[in-house]
Amino acid sequence: MDNHSHALFLFSLLSTYLLFAFGIGAESESYYHVIKLTSLLPSPHCSTPKGSNHHENKKGRLKLDHLYGPCSPFGHRRKPTPRQILSQDQIRVNSLQSRLNPRPHNVEDTKTTTLPAHMGKGNYFFTIGLGTPKSELTVSFDTGSDLNWVQCQPCEGQCYSQQDPIFNPLNSSTYLNISCTSPECSQLPSATANPTLCFSSTCVYTSTYGDGSFSRGYFAHETLTLTPSDVPNFAFGCGESNVGLFNTTAGLIGLGRDALSLVSQTSKEYGKVFSYCLPSTSSSSGGYLKFGSDDATSVKFTRLLTNPKAHSFYFLQMVGISVGGKQLDIAPSTFASPGTLIDSGTTITRLPMSAYIALRSSFREFMSNYTMAPALGPLDTCYDFSQQDMQAPKVVLHFGGDVDVEVAESGIFFLGSQSQACLAFLGNSDASDFAVFGNHQQQTLQVVYDLTSEKVGFGVAGCS
């Protein structure tokens, strides 16, 4: 072999080694994302044409958008900072955890100074029709809540500012207050030993949230329109006293498992089945929310768990995590009790601390060739994306029934700024806290809830 051939041979060996060592060879491409900064930034444009029906998508799906996304008519005016989002998210998680483990939390976890309130109100919105003739109202949804309510005239207490005209029950021919003796009135969470449940024989509700905001008013029946078909006698709260910013939506739709949720109330129409796809940060076309069966041919299902202390919550059996194609050394029992809560209103996924440390260690090892950026609040694994694209390992969450859920590239990082992209996972502060599968990691997935069969399914590229 001459010197020239020998040099080429050595160069070839060196190139092969570098490709393998840094994870960019053909053999390992399936374990990595090449992430561009533009894939994490919000799209500057909404792709919904003006004058089109932007409320309903194909296949009877209701169009779903993020409150601060490009298609939001009101979110940009009050968009919180990344630190505010994280602080508010922690308040929600504390509230969820307290349902099973009542205890005081660290004061630093619950600071609310100058924070916009959206605990319990969800991060995504869609449009419903309410009343006869129907009034179109933009509402948020939340799988961690059950009670449905909207603001109502005459706002005798107080009402917050909302984008749509406030619903006036006097203009609807199908509005009817629910009496105190109705079985539905006794199903309200505020019904237990509450002497103010009735006012002039009319059922009164109060819905309070972990950040101190609330909605209070009359419990009533009305005609609900989700698609071209109507849902008569829909029980909801007609709120005449409402405190909290609520992101200027008209109210909240609860998609929990208890009797008063929209899922339970429409069981005859939709069979206790609903699905959604939460759009990615960079999406200009949004996602969807659908009630009833959906095209689920590529969806894999895992068993739904129930906890008697929080029957309304959706718990799943997480059994492990993989990073860059390698499953981490985490015992499945780490996630066993009471399971992992899948929640549409929590932003950042929470893990038991030992699982988070294993994830963080493996992720940092794969990203060791990149310079780390300062931490963003509790997010302690951050990188500078401003000067280059980055190759990040894929993260896969493993659930019971051999269900593997790959986190989309938009769900791996939470963006503080162009020079601060942080691993979008956190460890729980208390050993008794359960894991939470947040909406940031659910982005672009087709998520199907089948309550009759007690299972939840996941499919890829759900928003397309």
Side-chain angles (χ1 to χ4, degrees):
M1 181 182 296
D2 58 28
N3 290 338
H4 178 69
S5 298
H6 183 68
L8 287 176
F9 176 72
L10 291 176
F11 179 77
S12 176
L13 283 177
L14 179 62
S15 298
T16 301
Y17 168 76
L18 289 174
L19 287 173
F20 178 80
F22 290 103
I24 53 178
E27 294 181 354
S28 58
E29 284 179 355
S30 60
Y31 301 133
Y32 293 83
H33 294 291
V34 176
I35 300 181
K36 299 179 181 292
L37 177 63
T38 53
S39 70
L40 303 178
L41 293 171
S43 172
H45 305 292
C46 176
S47 65
T48 303
K50 291 183 178 180
S52 66
N53 181 5
H54 61 281
H55 302 324
E56 189 172 337
N57 210 328
K58 61 182 179 179
K59 301 179 183 178
R61 297 171 172 177
L62 297 165
K63 191 171 185 297
L64 189 69
D65 288 293
H66 196 282
L67 288 164
Y68 309 121
C71 295
S72 175
F74 41 71
H76 296 292
R77 293 180 299 178
R78 297 184 179 182
K79 183 176 181 179
T81 67
R83 287 182 179 274
Q84 289 175 334
I85 291 174
L86 292 172
S87 295
Q88 200 69 18
D89 198 43
Q90 187 60 54
I91 295 172
R92 177 181 177 87
V93 170
N94 290 348
S95 180
L96 294 173
Q97 298 287 357
S98 67
R99 291 281 296 274
L100 269 67
N101 303 304
R103 66 180 185 278
H105 284 83
N106 190 303
V107 174
E108 293 298 318
D109 289 341
T110 55
K111 285 185 177 179
T112 57
T113 306
T114 70
L115 294 179
H118 54 83
M119 159 59 209
K121 278 74 82 177
N123 301 135
Y124 295 86
F125 71 90
F126 66 106
T127 301
I128 62 170
L130 192 66
T132 307
K134 70 177 180 180
S135 298
E136 289 197 338
L137 300 171
T138 302
V139 293
S140 55
F141 82 95
D142 181 15
T143 60
S145 300
D146 295 289
L147 183 67
N148 311 281
W149 62 267
V150 300
Q151 292 201 111
C152 286
Q153 296 286 8
C155 287
E156 293 184 345
Q158 54 185 318
C159 284
Y160 59 86
S161 175
Q162 69 176 53
Q163 180 75 14
D164 305 312
I166 295 176
F167 181 72
N168 190 341
L170 296 179
N171 294 336
S172 172
S173 62
T174 47
Y175 178 90
L176 183 65
N177 284 330
I178 293 175
S179 70
C180 296
T181 57
S182 167
E184 289 166 310
C185 189
S186 64
Q187 292 170 343
L188 285 170
S190 57
T192 305
N194 189 344
T196 62
L197 187 64
C198 288
F199 182 78
S200 298
S201 300
T202 300
C203 186
V204 174
Y205 80 96
T206 299
S207 182
T208 58
Y209 300 95
D211 59 4
S213 56
F214 65 85
S215 175
R216 182 182 301 120
Y218 293 109
F219 202 41
H221 281 141
E222 186 54 283
T223 296
L224 173 71
T225 303
L226 294 173
T227 61
S229 60
D230 293 335
V231 179
N233 299 316
F234 174 65
F236 78 109
C238 199
E240 295 186 4
S241 181
N242 313 282
V243 173
L245 297 180
F246 293 96
N247 298 300
T248 68
T249 58
L252 171 71
I253 295 296
L255 298 183
R257 302 168 70 181
D258 283 350
L260 294 179
S261 75
L262 176 58
V263 181
S264 296
Q265 288 196 56
T266 59
S267 59
K268 291 183 179 179
E269 291 84 357
Y270 303 118
K272 286 192 174 183
V273 177
F274 70 97
S275 57
Y276 59 70
C277 179
L278 308 179
S280 69
T281 307
S282 59
S283 173
S284 62
S285 56
Y288 75 87
L289 173 65
K290 180 178 173 60
F291 297 94
S293 61
D294 202 0
D295 180 12
T297 56
S298 61
V299 172
K300 293 184 177 181
F301 286 90
T302 186
R303 184 166 59 96
L304 184 61
L305 307 179
T306 301
N307 189 289
K309 293 183 179 179
H311 180 270
S312 180
F313 285 175
Y314 297 100
F315 282 104
L316 308 177
Q317 182 188 16
M318 184 184 286
V319 295
I321 303 172
S322 290
V323 177
K326 180 181 179 181
Q327 186 156 347
L328 303 179
D329 185 17
I330 304 172
S333 59
T334 304
F335 307 99
S337 181
T340 297
L341 175 69
I342 179 170
D343 181 47
S344 69
T346 297
T347 301
I348 303 296
T349 290
R350 268 45 175 210
L351 300 171
M353 185 56 74
S354 60
Y356 172 68
I357 291 173
L359 168 63
R360 180 182 64 184
S361 176
S362 179
F363 193 87
R364 286 182 176 182
E365 181 180 351
F366 278 101
M367 299 287 288
S368 61
N369 295 304
Y370 299 105
T371 302
M372 293 187 69
L376 175 63
L379 299 180
D380 58 8
T381 302
C382 306
Y383 301 89
D384 187 347
F385 266 48
S386 60
Q387 302 298 322
Q388 59 183 326
D389 297 339
M390 285 196 177
Q391 190 176 61
K394 292 184 178 180
V395 177
V396 178
L397 308 179
H398 304 292
F399 294 92
D402 294 323
V403 175
D404 300 331
V405 179
E406 181 181 315
V407 177
E409 63 178 75
S410 63
I412 294 177
F413 290 102
F414 181 83
L415 199 65
S417 66
Q418 294 188 12
S419 59
Q420 192 181 35
C422 304
L423 177 64
F425 291 83
L426 283 170
N428 285 328
S429 59
D430 194 283
S432 64
D433 287 346
F434 49 81
V436 183
F437 185 11
N439 63 50
H440 196 70
Q441 284 67 43
Q442 295 178 49
Q443 289 179 0
T444 78
L445 294 171
Q446 181 184 15
V447 186
V448 181
Y449 295 72
D450 186 338
L451 275 62
T452 301
S453 300
E454 297 188 337
K455 60 185 181 180
V456 174
F458 300 95
V460 298
C463 295
S464 60

